[in-house]
């Protein structure tokens, strides 16, 4: 018996199908990426603040597939469910992007391993 496909197929403009495709894991080009973001991050009108030390800017933004985490200079890291991969991609041009063998290596190299806790390295724009 021939297999039937829903009208429009996978390439249709159906927003639910498009969202499903966008939410699939990436195409294998990367599994984990990180960038720095010196400015404040504002989500739904509220400035993100580190729950451990109270920092309000100068973040490491980590993209692991579709999950976005923020890491503070005090080394506290948490998943920020309100941020998407699209948000990460919009931030990537604003910070430093460099390859590292691991997230911990990147955190050490960029000063997000706790040694610079309480320090802002850049001035806000």
């Amino acid at each position: 018996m021939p297999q039937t496909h829903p009208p429009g197929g996978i390439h249709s403009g159906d927003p639910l199908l498009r969202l499903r495709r966008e939410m699939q894991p990436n195409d294998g080009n990367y599994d984990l990426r990180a960038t720095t973001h010196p400015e404040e991050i504002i989500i739904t009108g509220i400035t993100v603040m580190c729950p451990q030390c109270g920092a309000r800017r100068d973040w490491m933004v980590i993209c692991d597939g579709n999950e976005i985490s923020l890491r503070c200079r005090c080394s506290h890291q948490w998943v920020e469910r309100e941020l998407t991969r699209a948000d990460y991609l919009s931030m990537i041009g604003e910070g430093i992007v460099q390859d590292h063998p691991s997230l911990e290596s990147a955190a050490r190299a960029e000063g997000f391993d706790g040694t610079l806790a309480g320090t802002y390295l850049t001035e806000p724009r």
Side-chain angles (χ1 to χ4, degrees):
M1 175 177 233
Q3 190 174 16
T4 60
H5 299 283
I10 193 149
H11 299 291
S12 74
D14 181 348
L16 291 175
L17 290 175
R18 191 170 58 243
L19 178 62
R20 185 180 298 152
R21 282 192 310 271
E22 289 172 4
M23 295 304 290
Q24 293 300 312
N26 59 53
D27 61 5
N29 289 336
Y30 64 90
D31 288 327
L32 180 73
R33 293 186 77 180
T35 189
T36 59
H37 184 79
E39 301 295 322
E40 292 179 338
I41 296 176
I42 299 172
I43 301 172
T44 63
I46 300 170
T47 301
V48 172
M49 193 156 75
C50 175
Q52 186 166 315
C53 74
R56 298 170 58 99
R57 61 182 171 89
D58 201 12
W59 306 104
M60 174 179 260
V61 184
I62 302 151
C63 180
D64 187 3
N66 290 317
E67 186 174 84
I68 306 300
S69 297
L70 296 179
R71 186 173 182 131
C72 181
R73 293 237 178 241
C74 75
S75 78
H76 183 65
Q77 182 176 323
W78 68 96
V79 173
E80 188 55 67
R81 304 232 181 263
E82 296 293 322
L83 294 177
T84 65
R85 187 175 354 160
D87 295 320
Y88 172 81
L89 293 173
S90 73
M91 290 181 207
I92 204 165
E94 299 175 19
I96 300 165
V97 179
Q98 184 176 348
D99 290 333
H100 294 280
S102 69
L103 179 58
E104 294 312 312
S105 171
R108 243 186 339 274
E110 302 297 338
F112 288 89
D113 61 346
T115 58
L116 298 175
T119 306
Y120 288 129
L121 295 183
T122 58
E123 293 297 317
R125 294 179 196 160

